[in-house]
C-alpha cells in the first residue's frame, strides 16, 4: 500500500479487510471497514488468526456477501482480493471434505454474487495458496464471464500466493502484515 501511495500521491487509497472462517467457527467474520490508514490495516491483519477446521471448505460465499453488501465502496478503482487455501462450500467447486456439499442455507447464488461484483465494477484478484482451490476459481471465472465481466472489462485473475513460502522454509510461522505492505 505504501508503494501505491508513492506512485499515486494524490489518490485516496482505501483498504478494507474481511477475515472469514467457516459457519460453525467462533468469530466467523472479522471486518475492518475501509480506512486510509496503513497502520490500522496492518494492525488488523496482524491480529487475525486462522482457527477452526471442521471440514476443508470455508464460508467464502459469506465473505463475498460481507465484501459486496456491507462495505462502503466509494472510489472509482475497486479491487477485491481473495486469499484462500481452501475452497468454498458446494461439491461442484472442489473434491474436498465438505460439511455443506449443497452449500449453506445462508449462501447467495454464485451467479448473483458475480453479477453484483460486475455491476459494482469490482476487479477480482484471487491469490491461491493450495491447489484445492483450482476448481473453485475456474467456476468463479465462469460465473463472472456469464455476468458480463469481459464486456465490462472487469479484471478477473488468479496468482499463486507464495510470498510466505520462504518464511515457512526459514521456520517462521507467523508473517506480519508489514512484510507485505
Amino acid at each position: 500500500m505504501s508503494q501505491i501511495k508513492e506512485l499515486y500521491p494524490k489518490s485516496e487509497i482505501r483498504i478494507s479487510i474481511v477475515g472469514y472462517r467457516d459457519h460453525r467457527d467462533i468469530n466467523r467474520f472479522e471486518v475492518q471497514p475501509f480506512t486510509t490508514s496503513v497502520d490500522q490495516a496492518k494492525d488488523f491483519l496482524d491480529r487475525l488468526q486462522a482457527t477452526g477446521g471442521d471440514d476443508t471448505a470455508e464460508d467464502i460465499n459469506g465473505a463475498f456477501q460481507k465484501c459486496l453488501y456491507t462495505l462502503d465502496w466509494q472510489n472509482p478503482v475497486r479491487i477485491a482480493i481473495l486469499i484462500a487455501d481452501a475452497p468454498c462450500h458446494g461439491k461442484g467447486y472442489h473434491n474436498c471434505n465438505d460439511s455443506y456439499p449443497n452449500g449453506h442455507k445462508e449462501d447467495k447464488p454464485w451467479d448473483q454474487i458475480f453479477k453484483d461484483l460486475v455491476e459494482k465494477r469490482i476487479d477480482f484478484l484471487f491469490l491461491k495458496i493450495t491447489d484445492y482451490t483450482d476448481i473453485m476459481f475456474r467456476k468463479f471465472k465462469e460465473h463472472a464471464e456469464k455476468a458480463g465481466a469481459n464486456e465490462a472489462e472487469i479484471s478477473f485473475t488468479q496468482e499463486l500466493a507464495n510470498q510466505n513460502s520462504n518464511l515457512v522454509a526459514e521456520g517462521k510461522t507467523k508473517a506480519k502484515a508489514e512484510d507485505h505492505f
Side-chain angles (χ1 to χ4, degrees):
M1 194 156 148
S2 300
Q3 294 169 340
I4 294 171
K5 284 189 170 201
E6 287 177 23
L7 288 171
Y8 305 100
K10 294 183 181 182
S11 296
E12 179 186 60
I13 309 296
R14 299 169 65 228
I15 186 169
S16 174
I17 301 157
V18 176
Y20 65 93
R21 294 176 185 84
D22 209 354
H23 292 279
R24 292 181 276 201
D25 292 337
I26 297 171
N27 294 327
R28 184 167 136 204
F29 300 108
E30 294 184 60
V31 179
Q32 166 62 58
F34 279 107
T35 180
T36 57
S37 169
V38 174
D39 291 334
Q40 188 175 0
K42 285 180 189 179
D43 290 345
F44 182 84
L45 282 173
D46 285 340
R47 286 191 309 270
L48 286 179
Q49 294 185 4
T51 60
D54 182 34
D55 61 359
T56 303
E58 298 291 347
D59 187 14
I60 293 175
N61 189 288
F64 266 96
Q65 290 183 54
K66 290 284 183 196
C67 175
L68 289 170
Y69 311 124
T70 66
L71 296 177
D72 183 23
W73 292 89
Q74 295 177 3
N75 294 25
V77 176
R78 301 168 181 188
I79 304 169
I81 301 171
L82 172 64
I83 304 170
D85 65 347
C88 64
H89 288 287
K91 59 186 170 191
Y93 294 87
H94 57 77
N95 295 318
C96 303
N97 179 24
D98 189 347
S99 297
Y100 303 99
N102 297 316
H104 190 270
K105 64 183 178 184
E106 295 174 5
D107 286 355
K108 276 193 172 283
W110 285 110
D111 282 340
Q112 182 64 51
I113 286 190
F114 285 100
K115 179 179 180 276
D116 294 341
L117 185 90
V118 169
E119 285 179 359
K120 291 180 183 241
R121 303 200 50 79
I122 301 172
D123 290 319
F124 179 80
L125 171 61
F126 176 59
L127 298 177
K128 81 175 203 168
I129 297 173
T130 68
D131 292 339
Y132 293 128
T133 58
D134 289 346
I135 296 169
M136 180 187 73
F137 179 77
R138 282 194 301 275
K139 298 283 281 188
F140 281 5
K141 189 162 182 137
E142 289 172 14
H143 289 299
E145 288 171 353
K146 181 178 175 184
N150 291 339
E151 295 81 10
E153 297 181 355
I154 300 296
S155 172
F156 198 90
T157 56
Q158 172 180 254
E159 293 183 19
L160 183 61
N162 61 0
Q163 293 179 346
N164 287 335
S165 60
N166 51 349
L167 294 172
V168 173
E170 294 170 11
K172 298 178 185 175
T173 57
K174 185 175 180 195
K176 294 282 190 186
E178 64 201 29
D179 298 333
H180 305 290
F181 274 84

